[in-house]
């Protein structure tokens, strides 16, 4: 570790986590595209993690987003802790002036990133089911508290970070599917049910000793819970091309996560949520090859064409069951 940049130290002082006149040590962490993330050691030896939102994301496309999203991530962390203790890191403080927030440090040796676990071919259907179960509990908790919607006035932010770079950018790449993709974006934007995380991805889930821990709520939004479940399931489809030997196990995880989530839906009919998620998922699938945020581990055209073939078919023939997607993708890849 080296000296912490002064602007980050200022944020810690504003949060009263660092005393005036004292210094902290830190090291930048890799992996994020939307924020600077640091591991910090305070003078008394305590460790924590701090984040500062970036105005321009670290991707090839010109993708910008308001740094005020840091405020809403802090609010999401607080609400998640209430709804499902242990499902999110403990929030330690937030300073809007410097755009930083502080949360507990979760040691990597005890909290590996689920994405890395999947890369190694380790597919635990029980863990995937727990992700779905905890996500549904969080959605159910917030849905019973509609007054929380006032704390997340983030429609424009969600549009900038999710709907535009994923669905609308992909619509421009596939003009013949543009009406369908634009309709999915419009429906998602108009559906107001509960508190949505917006980036439920294996890279943002830690496999902790007490179960999954969800990170990185910069897209927090009061909207459609179907987005969260579709976004997460999408990654389990994509991972089948990353680690082909584990593809059947990844599809089992897909089934387990979906079933556990739907079994815990209480705020509306589970079949209604499933229908929205199932029709949205092919758009998100196609977006990971032709949107503004292509998945980094799929570089060969053959894999991209497999995704395009299945996604385009499902967008033209919208499914209302998640199982339909699992079967179509399994048939395509022979799993």
């Amino acid at each position: 570790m080296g000296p912490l940049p002064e602007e980050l130290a200022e944020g810690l002082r504003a949060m009263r986590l660092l005393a005036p006149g004292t210094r902290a040590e830190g090291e930048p962490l890799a992996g994020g595209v939307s924020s600077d993330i640091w591991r910090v050691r305070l003078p008394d030896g305590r460790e924590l993690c701090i984040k500062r939102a970036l105005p321009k994301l670290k991707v090839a496309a010109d993708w910008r987003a308001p740094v005020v999203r840091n405020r809403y991530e802090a609010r999401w962390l607080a609400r998640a802790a209430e709804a499902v203790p242990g499902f999110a890191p403990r929030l330690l403080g937030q300073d809007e002036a410097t755009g930083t927030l502080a949360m507990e440090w979760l040691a990597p040796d005890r909290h590996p990133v689920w994405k890395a676990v999947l890369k190694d071919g380790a597919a635990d259907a029980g863990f995937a089911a727990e992700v779905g179960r905890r996500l549904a509990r969080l959605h159910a908790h917030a849905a019973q508290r509609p007054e929380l919607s006032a704390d997340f006035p983030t429609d424009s932010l969600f549009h900038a970070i999710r709907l535009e770079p994923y669905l609308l950018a992909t619509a421009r790449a596939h003009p013949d599917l543009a009406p369908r993709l634009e309709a999915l974006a419009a429906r998602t934007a108009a559906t107001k049910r509960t508190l949505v995380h917006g980036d439920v991805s294996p890279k943002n889930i830690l496999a902790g000793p007490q179960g999954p821990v969800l990170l990185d709520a910069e897209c927090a939004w009061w909207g459609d819970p179907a987005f969260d479940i579709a976004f997460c399931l999408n990654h389990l489809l994509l991972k089948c091309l990353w680690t082909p030997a584990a593809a059947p196990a990844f599809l089992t995880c897909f089934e387990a996560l979906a079933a556990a989530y739907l079994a815990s839906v209480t705020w509306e009919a589970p079949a209604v949520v499933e229908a929205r998620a199932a029709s949205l998922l092919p758009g998100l699938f196609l977006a990971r090859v032709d949107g503004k945020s292509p998945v980094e581990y799929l570089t060969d055209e053959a894999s991209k064409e497999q995704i395009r073939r299945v996604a385009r078919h499902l967008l033209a023939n919208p499914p209302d069951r998640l199982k339909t997607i699992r079967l179509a993708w399994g048939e395509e890849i022979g799993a």
Side-chain angles (χ1 to χ4, degrees):
M1 286 191 177
L4 189 68
E6 182 56 29
E7 61 270 25
L8 298 180
E10 288 177 9
L12 289 175
R13 294 188 188 105
M15 290 181 251
R16 298 184 179 180
L17 294 171
L18 184 64
T22 63
R23 306 285 298 179
E25 295 182 322
E27 61 178 352
L29 302 178
V33 300
S34 60
S35 294
D36 282 331
I37 309 173
W38 287 69
R39 176 186 181 182
V40 175
R41 181 178 296 126
L42 299 176
D44 62 6
R46 287 181 297 153
E47 292 192 337
L48 51 84
C49 180
I50 61 173
K51 288 185 66 176
R52 180 177 58 176
L54 297 172
K56 183 182 186 302
L57 279 63
K58 305 172 192 174
V59 295
D62 185 13
W63 182 358
R64 299 174 186 271
V67 295
V68 72
R69 63 190 187 271
N70 186 271
R71 171 194 304 168
Y72 304 114
E73 178 169 16
R75 292 179 182 177
W76 183 92
L77 287 168
R79 296 307 182 187
E82 294 172 359
V84 190
F87 191 36
R90 185 164 53 94
L91 177 66
L92 302 178
Q94 197 252 346
D95 177 53
E96 293 192 14
T98 56
T100 58
L101 66 81
M103 55 191 158
E104 69 175 314
W105 170 251
L106 299 173
D109 60 337
R110 301 185 68 240
H111 299 83
V113 177
W114 193 26
K115 179 178 179 179
V117 174
L118 293 172
K119 174 63 171 69
D120 291 338
D124 182 345
F127 181 86
E130 187 62 15
V131 171
R133 196 173 297 115
R134 292 188 181 193
L135 185 60
R137 283 175 57 196
L138 173 55
H139 288 163
H141 175 89
Q144 294 172 351
R145 295 160 178 80
E147 68 277 7
L148 294 180
S149 63
D151 290 339
F152 296 91
T154 56
D155 285 3
S156 60
L157 176 60
F158 193 80
H159 182 275
I161 298 182
R162 284 293 172 263
L163 299 181
E164 200 290 324
Y166 283 79
L167 297 176
L168 300 182
T170 305
R172 294 191 291 273
H174 294 267
D176 61 318
L177 293 174
R180 179 61 189 156
L181 290 162
E182 290 165 357
L184 287 171
R187 186 193 70 191
T188 302
T191 304
K192 302 291 189 178
R193 291 287 185 175
T194 189
L195 180 56
V196 173
H197 178 276
D199 197 6
V200 185
S201 162
K203 72 178 175 60
N204 293 328
I205 298 172
L206 304 181
Q210 304 303 318
V213 181
L214 184 55
L215 313 173
D216 201 10
E218 292 188 9
C219 306
W221 171 61
W222 190 269
D224 188 359
F227 187 91
D228 274 349
I229 185 67
F231 200 87
C232 190
L233 291 173
N234 186 37
H235 282 275
L236 291 174
L237 300 179
L238 293 164
K239 298 297 181 285
C240 292
L241 297 178
W242 198 25
T243 309
F250 291 162
L251 293 179
T252 298
C253 286
F254 180 105
E255 295 168 349
L257 197 157
Y261 178 86
L262 293 170
S264 301
V265 169
T266 59
W267 59 91
E268 60 184 314
V272 175
V273 183
E274 181 178 14
R276 292 201 307 274
S279 58
L280 175 62
L281 203 160
L284 298 177
F285 197 36
L286 186 59
R288 295 321 298 263
V289 292
D290 291 326
K292 283 189 179 179
S293 182
V295 67
E296 84 286 354
Y297 50 79
L298 296 181
T299 57
D300 64 291
E301 279 303 313
S303 293
K304 293 178 183 180
E305 282 302 318
Q306 286 184 292
I307 291 170
R308 292 183 183 114
R309 185 159 47 245
V310 171
R312 286 180 56 85
H313 171 74
L314 292 171
L315 283 165
N317 303 275
D320 59 8
R321 298 288 306 278
L322 291 166
K323 182 179 180 181
T324 303
I325 300 170
R326 180 257 178 267
L327 292 174
W329 186 233
E331 182 177 354
E332 172 68 30
I333 62 174

